C-alpha cells in the first residue's frame, strides 16, 4: 500500500483529497497497488469533513511515520512549505507540489535533496494548473533543442482581463470573482503584478534550458497599467492584450526572460485564450511550434496534475526521475532590452508628432477618444530605442506587440 499525506487543505489540497477519493478505484488499478490518504495537515479545523480521521496538526507525525511514502505540499509560499518539504525529503519521502514560489526559488536545492535521499520532487501542477506541460517539455520534447517558451501563465489575470473586456466588470469586481473561484493567490498582488507568472516562466526556463533562473533575475510587469482604452485600441485592429511570460534561448547558454503585457495579433492562437485558461507555446528545433492549452488554475484541474504526479511516484517509489537542472548564475539572464519588436503606444500627441518620433506608424482609433490622444503601432525596435524616441512625450501606455 502507498500512503499519502496532504499539507494544506485549501483549494488545491482539498481537490487532491477529492480526486484521490473519487477516482480511487482507477488510481489503484493504474498504480497496481492501493493508494491511500492517511493524513491531512492544516492549521484550521474542518468540522464535519469526510476526512475527519485524517487531520493532524503536527508535521512531525507525518515526518516520523514510516508508512508515509508521498507528501503533497499545497500550503504555498516559501517559508513553512520549505521547512516541511526539506524535512519530508530528508526523511526519504517523495514530495509533490503545486507551489511554484517554492520551486522557482528553491527548486535546484530541493531537487538535489530528493536525489540525495533516493526520493522524488515533482511539481507538474506548479505551471499551467491542470495543463500537462512540464513532463511533456522534458520527455515528449526531449529530442529538441528548445529555443523559446511563451505563455499565458496566470489564470487570475487572464480571467480579469476577459471579464473586464467581455462583461464590462471593473477590475475589482473581476478580481473578486477570480478569488471566489479559487484562482487567485493568497495575496492576489502576486497575480496582478506578474510575480506568479514570473515564477512560472522561471520553472519553464529551467526545464527548457537546463539552468535555474531565479525570479529576481526576471523583469516583471503586471496588468495594473492596462486600461480599457488600451483594450479598445487593440481591438480596433483585432489584437488582444495578454500578460505573457517569455523565455528565449540566447547564445553561450544565456537566457532572456521577462513578464509583461503584450498586444497579441488575432491570428496568434494565444489571442483566443480566455478566462482562467492558460496556454504555453514552445518552439523546438525539430518539432517547430507546439502549444499546450487548458485550465490554468482552480481546485480540480490543479488537483488533476498533482494526483498525476502522485500516481507516477506510487508506480515506482524508488525510481530516480532525474528531473533536475543545473545551478543558476548571476549573469545567466540577459536583459530583454536586446529584443526588437513592434510597440503599442498611447500618448498625448498628434499623429504628426508620433510619425516624427517613430517613423512608419500604424494609427489606431477608438470611439470616444479625447482630443490630443494618439495610439499607434511602431515598426520593430528595442525598448531603449522606443523609450529614446518617446522622450518628452506624455506616454500613457507602452506595450510590446508579439511579433
Ligand atoms: P489555499 O490558501 O487555499 O490553501 C492553503 C492551505 O494551507 C490553507 O488551508 C491554509 O490555511 C493552510 N496552511 C497555511 N499555513 C499552514 C501551515 N503552517 N500548516 C498547515 N496548513 C497551513 O491555497 P491554494 O490551495 O490556492 O494554493 C496552494 C498552493 O498551490 C500555492 O502554492 C498556490 O500558488 C498553488 N496553486 C494554486 C492554484 C489554484 O488554482 N488555487 C493552482 C496552481 C497552484 P489558512 O487559510 O488558514 O492560511
Ligand atoms: N493564482 C494562480 C493563477 C494559480 O491564477 O494562475 C495557478 O497557478
Amino acid at each position: 500500500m502507498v500512503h499519502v499525506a496532504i499539507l494544506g487543505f485549501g483549494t488545491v489540497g482539498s481537490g487532491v483529497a477529492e480526486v484521490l477519493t473519487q477516482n480511487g478505484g482507477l488510481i489503484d488499478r493504474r498504480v497496481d497497488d492501493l493508494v491511500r490518504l492517511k493524513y491531512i495537515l492544516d492549521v484550521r479545523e474542518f468540522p464535519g469533513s469526510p476526512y475527519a480521521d485524517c487531520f493532524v496538526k503536527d508535521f512531525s507525525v507525518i515526518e516520523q511515520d514510516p508508512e508515509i511514502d508521498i507528501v503533497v505540499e499545497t500550503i504555498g509560499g516559501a517559508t513553512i512549505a520549505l521547512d516541511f518539504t526539506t524535512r519530508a525529503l530528508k526523511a526519504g519521502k517523495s514530495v509533490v507540489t503545486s507551489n511554484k514560489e517554492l520551486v522557482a526559488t528553491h527548486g535546484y536545492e530541493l531537487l538535489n535533496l530528493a536525489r540525495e535521499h533516493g526520493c522524488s520532487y515533482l511539481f507538474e501542477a506548479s505551471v499551467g494548473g491542470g495543463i500537462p506541460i512540464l513532463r511533456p517539455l522534458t520527455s515528449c520534447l526531449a529530442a529538441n533543442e528548445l529555443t523559446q517558451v511563451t505563455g499565458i501563465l496566470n489564470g487570475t489575470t487572464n480571467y480579469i482581463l476577459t471579464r473586464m473586456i467581455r462583461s464590462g466588470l471593473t477590475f475589482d469586481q473581476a478580481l473578486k470573482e477570480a478569488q471566489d473561484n479559487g484562482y487567485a493567490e493568497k495575496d492576489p498582488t502576486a497575480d496582478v503584478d506578474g510575480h506568479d507568472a514570473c515564477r512560472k516562466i522561471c520553472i519553464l526556463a529551467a526545464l527548457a534550458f537546463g539552468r535555474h533562473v531565479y525570479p529576481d533575475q526576471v523583469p516583471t510587469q503586471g496588468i495594473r497599467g492596462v486600461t480599457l482604452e488600451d483594450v479598445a485600441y487593440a481591438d480596433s485592429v483585432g489584437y488582444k492584450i495578454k500578460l505573457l511570460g517569455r523565455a528565449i534561448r540566447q547564445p553561450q547558454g544565456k537566457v532572456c526572460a521577462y513578464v509583461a503585457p503584450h498586444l497579441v495579433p488575432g491570428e496568434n492562437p494565444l489571442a483566443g485564450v480566455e478566462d482562467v485558461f492558460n496556454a504555453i507555446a514552445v518552439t523546438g528545433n525539430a518539432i517547430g511550434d507546439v502549444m499546450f492549452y487548458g485550465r490554468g488554475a482552480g481546485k480540480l484541474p490543479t488537483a488533476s496534475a498533482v494526483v498525476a504526479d502522485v500516481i507516477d511516484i506510487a508506480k515506482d517509489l524508488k525510481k530516480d526521475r532525474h528531473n533536475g537542472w543545473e545551478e543558476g548564475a548571476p549573469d545567466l539572464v540577459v536583459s530583454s532590452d536586446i529584443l526588437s519588436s513592434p510597440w503599442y503606444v498611447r500618448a498625448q500627441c498628434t499623429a504628426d508628432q508620433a510619425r516624427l518620433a517613430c517613423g512608419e506608424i500604424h494609427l489606431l482609433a477608438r470611439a470616444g477618444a479625447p482630443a490630443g490622444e494618439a495610439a499607434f503601432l511602431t515598426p520593430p525596435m528595442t525598448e531603449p530605442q522606443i523609450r529614446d524616441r518617446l522622450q518628452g512625450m506624455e506616454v500613457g501606455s507602452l506595450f510590446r506587440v508579439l511579433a
Side-chain angles (χ1 to χ4, degrees), residues 44-369:
R44 290 184 287 156
E45 303 295 330
F46 297 89
S49 164
Y51 309 101
D53 294 346
C54 296
F55 283 98
V56 291
K57 291 264 182 253
D58 179 1
F59 177 69
S60 45
V61 174
I62 296 168
E63 185 182 24
Q64 286 163 18
D65 184 339
E67 276 193 346
I68 292 295
D69 305 293
I70 303 171
V71 172
V72 171
E73 184 274 296
T74 47
I75 293 176
T79 52
I80 195 74
L82 175 62
D83 178 40
F84 290 168
T85 301
T86 304
R87 285 164 60 185
L89 294 173
K90 283 186 174 166
K93 301 176 191 308
S94 288
V95 176
V96 172
T97 192
S98 54
N99 183 344
K100 53 266 163 158
E101 183 176 356
L102 191 59
V103 179
T105 48
H106 295 283
Y108 173 72
E109 68 207 59
L110 293 172
L111 283 160
N112 283 343
L113 198 61
R115 185 172 292 178
E116 270 170 41
H117 292 272
C119 49
S120 297
Y121 184 52
L122 296 187
F123 38 86
E124 180 62 59
S126 66
V127 179
I131 305 174
I133 171 65
L134 303 187
R135 197 170 283 108
L137 201 64
T138 51
S139 55
C140 309
L141 298 179
N144 288 262
E145 171 149 273
L146 300 176
T147 52
Q148 191 173 149
V149 182
T150 295
I152 295 172
L153 300 172
N154 184 266
T156 300
T157 45
N158 208 46
Y159 184 87
I160 292 172
L161 289 172
T162 308
R163 293 290 283 154
M164 285 173 67
I165 296 162
R166 287 213 175 265
S167 311
L169 264 65
T170 64
F171 179 93
D172 288 339
Q173 286 168 333
L175 172 59
K176 169 82 171 51
E177 278 193 3
Q179 288 176 304
D180 290 346
N181 288 335
Y183 303 153
E185 296 301 302
K186 194 169 189 135
D187 174 2
T189 57
D191 299 293
V192 172
D193 291 331
H195 304 300
D196 179 73
C198 169
R199 292 162 187 155
K200 291 166 176 166
I201 199 66
C202 288
I203 298 170
L204 289 166
L207 286 170
F209 307 137
R211 295 188 68 186
H212 197 117
V213 173
Y214 289 93
D216 62 6
Q217 296 179 299
V218 176
T220 296
Q221 184 189 344
I223 62 164
R224 282 188 208 274
V226 179
T227 66
L228 285 174
E229 288 76 22
D230 298 321
V231 169
Y233 279 124
D235 210 38
S236 72
V237 276
Y239 286 28
K240 297 284 180 242
I241 302 186
K242 297 289 177 192
L243 182 67
L244 299 183
R246 303 189 71 200
I248 304 156
R249 180 187 287 277
Q250 299 296 317
Q252 280 97 43
K254 306 252 178 187
V255 178
C256 173
Y258 69 97
V259 173
H262 287 66
L263 264 68
V264 180
E267 63 271 17
N268 188 309
L270 289 171
V273 177
E274 298 206 322
D275 282 312
V276 73
F277 284 83
N278 285 189
I280 300 131
V282 180
T283 308
N285 65 350
I287 193 163
D289 297 324
V290 59
M291 185 172 287
F292 301 85
Y293 170 81
R295 288 182 192 278
K299 176 175 166 169
L300 292 180
T302 310
S304 159
V306 172
V307 177
D309 279 347
V310 169
I311 292 172
D312 183 19
I313 293 171
K315 280 180 175 171
D316 185 352
L317 288 170
K318 290 295 156 205
K319 181 173 164 190
D320 184 353
R321 286 178 172 76
H322 288 297
N323 61 333
W325 50 70
E326 304 286 311
E327 204 167 8
D331 63 347
L332 178 66
V333 180
V334 301
S335 166
S336 57
D337 281 358
I338 60 166
L339 298 179
S340 182
S341 68
W343 292 85
Y344 160 83
V345 184
R346 181 172 53 81
Q348 294 303 310
C349 65
T350 63
D352 282 344
Q353 286 169 325
R355 271 190 210 97
L356 196 65
C358 299
E360 281 293 306
I361 58 165
H362 181 136
L363 272 177
L364 306 176
R366 71 172 175 96

